[in-house]
Amino acid sequence: MLNKREGFRRAFVDFHLERVCAFTAADVERLMQDTAIIRHRRKIEAAVGNARVFRKIQREYGSFDCYLWRWTEGKTVHECGLTTSPLSDALAKDLKKRGMKFVGSTTIYSYLQAIGVIESHEPGCFLSGTCLSV
């Protein structure tokens, strides 16, 4: 997947939200022929649909950031040893209800870790010490 990063960046026009939201069935067909990306029709269609849902969330909450942080009342969650949590379960369920696809709890948990909503440095990590084991 990481080897295809630049291919995805090019195929999805530098992840420019409005441009991806405007993709048509013809764009999906074009992407299905692009060997620089993973050519899975349902995932390509989901990426376009998810961009549209993302944009709706931005408009509803002012930003996607505001939407996410409301789930924790603006506080970072500290926990270790998990791949899902009640937070990621609830968030994935809400995103699916809004129409997003391929957003399971494990994927959402990893995303929340990557953006700093969940801090989960394992014992022995040079950054550990703030992580509370669950």
Side-chain angles (χ1 to χ4, degrees):
M1 184 65 167
L2 290 176
N3 293 333
K4 300 209 178 251
R5 185 178 191 167
E6 289 309 313
F8 277 106
R9 184 179 313 281
R10 182 192 41 73
F12 286 91
V13 290
D14 287 324
F15 306 113
H16 187 276
L17 182 61
E18 292 305 321
R19 291 180 68 189
V20 174
C21 287
F23 276 17
T24 65
D27 291 305
V28 171
E29 290 306 318
R30 174 182 52 80
L31 293 176
M32 286 296 297
Q33 305 307 312
D34 190 338
T35 59
I37 66 169
I38 296 169
R39 294 168 290 165
H40 185 288
R41 181 176 304 279
R42 288 183 48 220
K43 288 185 179 183
I44 292 170
E45 290 170 344
V48 175
N50 289 356
R52 293 173 182 152
V53 173
F54 181 94
R55 182 176 60 190
K56 284 181 187 176
I57 292 170
Q58 280 185 321
R59 290 176 177 165
E60 182 178 347
Y61 290 92
S63 71
F64 195 71
D65 181 67
C66 288
Y67 165 76
L68 288 175
W69 284 103
R70 79 177 181 86
W71 290 88
T72 65
E73 297 176 352
K75 295 177 175 57
T76 301
V77 174
H78 299 276
E79 58 192 20
C80 285
L82 300 176
T83 57
T84 65
S85 68
L87 171 61
S88 65
D89 293 346
L91 185 52
K93 183 177 180 180
D94 188 67
L95 291 170
K96 286 178 185 177
K97 183 178 84 178
R98 292 169 180 275
M100 281 199 179
K101 307 279 192 261
F102 295 99
V103 289
S105 187
T106 302
T107 300
I108 295 302
Y109 193 85
S110 295
Y111 177 69
L112 294 174
Q113 287 175 306
I115 64 170
V117 173
I118 295 175
E119 189 282 315
S120 59
H121 295 285
E122 296 289 334
C125 173
F126 74 97
L127 292 172
S128 70
T130 59
C131 183
L132 307 173
S133 295
V134 291

